[in-house]
Amino acid sequence: MTVIALAGNPNSGKTTLFNRLTGSNQYVGNWPGVTVERKEGKLKSDKAVTVQDLPGIYSLSPYTAEEVVTRKYLLDESPNLIVDTVDATNIERNLYLTLQLMETGVPLVLALNMIDVLKKNGRKINIKKLSYMLSVPVVGISALKKTNVDKLENEIEQSLSKARDYPIPEYDERLETALEMISNDIQGLVPAQSLRWYAIKFFERDERVWDEIKLDATRKEDIEQVIETAEKLFEDNSDSIVVNARYEYIARIVDMCVIDEKDFTMSIS
Ligand code: GDP
Ligand code: K
Ligand code: MG
């Protein structure tokens, strides 16, 4: 069975896009154990493909029921593709989730939504550059106005038809060294596709992952050492090292791909 998972921040237009992609082929229920609504449908353009709507979230930390449902689903059910709905008018904040979705190792297509209102906000986004820098397909759409939804459907079909591996977002060299050492310790004990995800979660001292993956004492000590060394180097806690690395990465991307027309007018006048 082919499954695509719709993920994104709350109010990024996920439901609107879900309705466009599935039409009236929808079933509504609940996620097991929680009162979070679960919606499933069939892709209008290809009934063999199931579209799974995931709860709207800002992060894949395990703090809310919505975050827990989403991360469990992406890691345990490994859908064939994530369609990440990004609000183009709030791209900095939305990309923070995109990076984490990419880290799960599930192939991703980015639906850059709300392009119909971007102009009013005085912004332009270079979609080709954004796609190049993230190494994922990006389609600028308006789910509300139905702009480019067919283009997105094509991109989804194409991405499903080829096994695609994208390079994972790379952060500060010192952080990368730590993550590589942790990856060596946990290799073979976690699904290969999600090695990066688990390395980061171990580094962040994520309790769920430390509980879930059973490591022997030597490996545990080794990873603790790696984390402590990094914390001394950065003079910061491991989880905020990762938060900062993601924001720096996003700042670089936005700097390259987003033009604020107000700034532009100011700089030439
Ligand atoms: P969700 O919380 O991610 O499911 O977002 P919704 O689909 O409920 O959309 C949130 C709001 O944004 C609603 O008022 C939608 O009508 C609106 N919306 C969704 N997509 C677009 C779009 O492409 N352009 C504009 N202008 N508004 C949109
Ligand atoms: K909403
Ligand atoms: Mg919704």
Side-chain angles (χ1 to χ4, degrees), residues 9-16 113-114 116-117 142-144:
N9 285 16
N11 291 318
S12 60
K14 235 156 37 62
T15 298
T16 312
N113 194 28
M114 314 243 185
D116 58 302
V117 276
S142 167
L144 185 72

Side-chain angles (χ1 to χ4, degrees), residues 118-206:
L118 197 56
K119 232 191 197 147
K120 282 184 219 142
N121 289 23
R123 271 195 150 183
K124 272 187 184 166
I125 298 177
N126 186 326
I127 290 177
K128 271 198 186 140
K129 246 190 204 170
L130 180 63
S131 171
Y132 177 77
M133 288 194 76
L134 285 171
S135 299
V136 299
V138 180
V139 183
I141 65 161
S142 167
L144 185 72
K145 303 264 166 80
K146 299 190 191 177
T147 316
N148 281 352
V149 174
D150 51 345
K151 206 169 153 191
L152 177 65
E153 284 166 344
N154 278 339
E155 191 52 63
I156 289 171
E157 289 287 337
Q158 270 187 43
S159 289
L160 286 175
S161 68
K162 56 183 179 222
R164 195 170 40 78
D165 251 343
Y166 48 70
I168 289 152
E170 265 190 43
Y171 302 137
D172 185 291
E173 211 176 299
R174 297 166 300 171
L175 173 56
E176 287 302 329
T177 306
L179 294 175
E180 202 180 308
M181 291 168 92
I182 296 176
S183 296
N184 288 336
D185 273 317
I186 60 172
Q187 203 147 31
L189 302 170
V190 300
Q193 172 177 261
S194 323
L195 182 60
R196 173 81 175 182
W197 162 270
Y198 282 100
I200 291 176
K201 291 296 144 194
F202 269 107
F203 183 79
E204 290 175 324
R205 295 201 179 85
D206 183 291

Side-chain angles (χ1 to χ4, degrees), residues 215-228:
L215 300 178
D216 56 45
T218 319
R219 284 175 209 262
K220 273 187 183 164
E221 272 167 39
D222 198 51
I223 294 176
E224 259 310 325
Q225 274 290 312
V226 170
I227 299 173
E228 279 170 29

